[in-house]
């Protein structure tokens, strides 16, 4: 038997009729489809989805329905998930560090594209691949500013070593590619452009013709009310490839996580208390779905909804926002502005909650369970 969950018109409609006491995630499949089509239509190359941003089957199925057929996976569990939902999908195992057991699992599941940033990791692939034809993308890094946090601090070979690795991959008879990640929520195209120029220099230094150039994720999502011109970033990436490599440049691949899924979900947290000192206590916080706010050092944009579903409007004030756990780290960054009339049982509806929210929520202190509702629009 199939049960069909109700579809609400808006989060407000659900909140006012159900008045949920638990934090609620609202999923708008129409928005997911719209964003996926934007990437598929606009990016000048292959679009792969970075599964770690949100591995909910409903989200992955929505992307498949919209036409996404390739995925950046980082673990055996993500490989198994995608194999189950779309057996024919192309899988890029782009975690630069994999155990030998994980590599064996991936090969058995038909994965043929891997990333490395060291000779030690490449040696594991040499030992495991047997006679298989694989593609190896060498991950490199540059000191780049402009992202919300810097992925280069963990992964990536420096350009000189990347050239050595690339040469070795080609000598093994494998398809040799380059990959990078400019850092998440990267708001300006310059970061990709600098990386693409460097990729051409690395390929020249190695004397290797690149099979593909994977420009990573990092595309910006609307988290703070401001929308970004993704098409302008796509155009800058295509133009940078053409300028750096000429007419015969490598095919491009991207692997958006955040920007693909952030906008398809909003999270409603309920006000448990407005204290006399003005502090607002919510039923979700930094150990729950709002865990990324302190890392990005900023609280997502939100609207305040009264229990009857109406928007709180009028005069505003800054407020300290706390989560539900009994420790003082559970505080949202800054002092966001709230309506003066905010009251117990109101809801804060945060935008851009589809990426890195529900997937990293913990059950610390007995909190953190989420209910998910489907809505026509957010
Ligand atoms: C996390 C990750 C991504 C997605 O990054 P976003 O900033 O969410 O777009 C893409 N590629 C790799 C290798 C990653 O680890």
């Amino acid at each position: 038997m199939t049960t069909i969950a109700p579809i609400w018109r808006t989060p407000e409609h659900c909140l006012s009729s159900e008045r949920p006491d638990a934090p609620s995630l609202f999923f708008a499949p129409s928005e997911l489809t719209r964003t996926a089509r934007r990437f598929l239509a606009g990016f000048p190359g292959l679009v792969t989805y970075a599964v770690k941003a949100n591995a909910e089957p409903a989200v992955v199925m929505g992307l498949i329905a919209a036409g996404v057929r390739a995925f950046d996976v980082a673990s055996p569990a993500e490989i198994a998930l995608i194999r189950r939902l779309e057996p024919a999908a192309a899988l890029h195992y782009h975690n630069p560090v994999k155990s030998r057991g994980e590599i064996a699992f991936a090969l058995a599941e038909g994965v043929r594209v891997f990333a490395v940033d060291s000779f030690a990791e490449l040696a594991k692939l040499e030992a495991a691949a047997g006679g298989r034809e694989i593609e190896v993308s060498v991950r490199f890094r540059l000191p780049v500013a402009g992202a919300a946090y810097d992925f280069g601090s963990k992964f990536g070979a420096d350009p000189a070593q990347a050239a050595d690795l690339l040469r070795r991959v080609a000598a093994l008879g494998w398809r040799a590619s380059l990959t990078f990640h400019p850092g998440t929520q990267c708001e300006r195209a310059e970061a990709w452009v600098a990386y693409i120029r460097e990729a051409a220099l690395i390929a020249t230094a190695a004397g290797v013709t690149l099979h593909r150039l994977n420009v990573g994720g990092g595309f910006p999502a609307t988290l703070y009310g401001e929308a970004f011109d993704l098409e302008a970033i796509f155009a800058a990436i295509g133009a940078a490839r053409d300028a750096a490599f000429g007419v015969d440049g490598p095919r491009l691949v991207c692997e958006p996580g955040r920007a693909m899924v952030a906008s398809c979900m909003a999270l409603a947290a309920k006000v448990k208390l407005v204290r006399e000192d003005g502090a607002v206590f919510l039923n979700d916080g930094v150990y729950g779905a709002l865990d990324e706010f302190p890392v990005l050092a900023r609280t997502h944009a939100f609207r305040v909804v009264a229990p009857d579903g109406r928007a709180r409007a009028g005069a505003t004030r800054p407020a300290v926002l706390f989560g539900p756990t009994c420790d003082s780290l559970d505080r949202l960054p800054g002092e966001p502005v709230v309506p003066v009339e905010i009251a117990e049982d109101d809801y804060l509806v945060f935008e851009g909650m589809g990426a890195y929210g529900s997937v990293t929520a913990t059950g610390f202190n007995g909190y953190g369970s989420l209910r998910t509702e489907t809505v026509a629009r957010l």
Side-chain angles (χ1 to χ4, degrees), residues 222-244:
T222 303
L223 309 180
Y224 312 114
E226 185 191 352
F228 297 93
D229 188 349
L230 289 178
E231 286 72 18
I233 295 177
F234 298 155
I237 288 172
R241 186 264 318 262
D242 294 345

Side-chain angles (χ1 to χ4, degrees), residues 47-67:
V47 176
T48 71
Y49 169 59
V51 175
K52 79 172 184 292
N54 192 326
E56 269 302 313
V59 169
V60 175
M61 289 304 290
L63 292 172
I64 292 166

Side-chain angles (χ1 to χ4, degrees), residues 127 162 175 246:
R175 288 186 292 272

Side-chain angles (χ1 to χ4, degrees), residues 7-372:
I7 295 184
W8 303 93
R9 280 199 308 276
T10 62
E12 278 75 358
H13 186 220
C14 172
L15 292 170
S16 59
S17 29
E18 306 257 301
R19 306 211 171 167
D21 219 31
S24 306
L25 208 49
F26 293 101
F27 171 40
S30 59
E31 173 59 26
L32 180 66
T33 304
R34 200 184 66 80
T35 311
R37 292 200 175 136
R38 205 173 159 192
F39 270 95
L40 290 168
F43 183 77
L46 177 69
V47 176
T48 71
Y49 169 59
V51 175
K52 79 172 184 292
N54 192 326
E56 269 302 313
V59 169
V60 175
M61 289 304 290
L63 292 172
I64 292 166
V68 175
R69 291 290 179 276
F71 295 84
D72 162 37
V73 289
S75 60
E78 290 185 357
I79 292 168
L81 172 78
I82 303 300
R83 275 283 174 263
R84 179 162 64 79
L85 298 177
E86 177 64 10
L91 300 181
H92 297 181
Y93 198 168
H94 270 192
N95 185 338
V97 177
K98 304 161 283 296
S99 74
R100 289 175 197 272
E102 289 166 343
I103 291 169
F105 177 87
L107 287 166
E109 289 294 319
V111 177
R112 294 293 179 269
V113 184
F114 298 87
V116 304
D117 69 355
S118 67
F119 279 97
E121 184 76 10
L122 189 56
K124 291 187 207 166
L125 287 176
E126 286 182 52
R132 295 182 188 88
E133 260 279 291
I134 62 174
E135 174 179 351
V136 175
S137 293
V138 174
R139 171 105 169 236
F140 70 101
R141 68 171 158 202
L142 289 178
V144 164
Y149 55 92
D150 178 14
F151 276 38
S153 61
K154 181 167 181 180
F155 293 124
D158 294 328
Q161 197 190 2
D164 292 342
L165 282 163
L166 202 58
R167 210 176 291 116
R168 175 78 188 142
V169 171
L172 286 162
W174 294 336
R175 288 186 292 272
S177 297
L178 280 172
T179 187
F180 61 84
H181 192 302
T184 202
Q185 189 68 12
C186 201
E187 297 181 358
R188 299 203 329 267
E190 284 76 24
W192 283 275
V193 172
Y195 266 102
I196 291 166
R197 283 196 193 118
E198 189 66 38
L201 298 177
I202 292 169
T204 303
V208 169
T209 302
L210 294 184
H211 182 62
R212 296 194 278 194
L213 175 60
N214 187 319
V215 302
F219 299 91
T222 303
L223 309 180
Y224 312 114
E226 185 191 352
F228 297 93
D229 188 349
L230 289 178
E231 286 72 18
I233 295 177
F234 298 155
I237 288 172
R241 186 264 318 262
D242 294 345
F245 290 90
V247 280
D248 268 345
R251 284 181 293 141
L252 294 172
V253 184
C254 69
E255 43 192 25
R258 180 190 304 284
M260 189 71 106
V261 296
S263 65
C264 74
M265 290 189 185
L267 179 113
K270 192 175 192 175
V271 175
K272 300 176 77 175
L273 176 74
V274 180
R275 208 165 54 185
E276 290 79 27
D277 63 0
V280 175
F281 289 76
L282 304 174
N283 69 350
D284 201 11
V286 309
Y287 298 99
L290 311 181
D291 72 296
E292 211 196 16
F293 293 11
V295 184
L296 299 182
R298 198 164 165 197
T299 292
H300 285 204
F302 59 85
R303 58 187 191 265
V304 179
V305 176
D308 64 4
R310 276 185 301 188
R312 293 273 188 208
T316 58
R317 67 171 175 88
V320 173
L321 303 179
F322 287 117
T325 69
C326 285
D327 77 303
S328 53
L329 292 182
D330 194 7
R331 177 189 163 170
L332 305 190
E335 292 201 18
V337 164
V338 300
V340 168
E341 60 176 19
I342 190 171
E344 183 183 336
D345 293 339
D346 283 359
Y347 294 95
L348 269 62
V349 180
F350 294 94
E351 73 174 22
M353 294 301 303
Y356 306 119
S358 54
V359 284
T360 48
T362 74
F364 176 52
N365 225 181
Y367 291 104
S369 70
L370 283 170
R371 29 177 272 159
T372 301

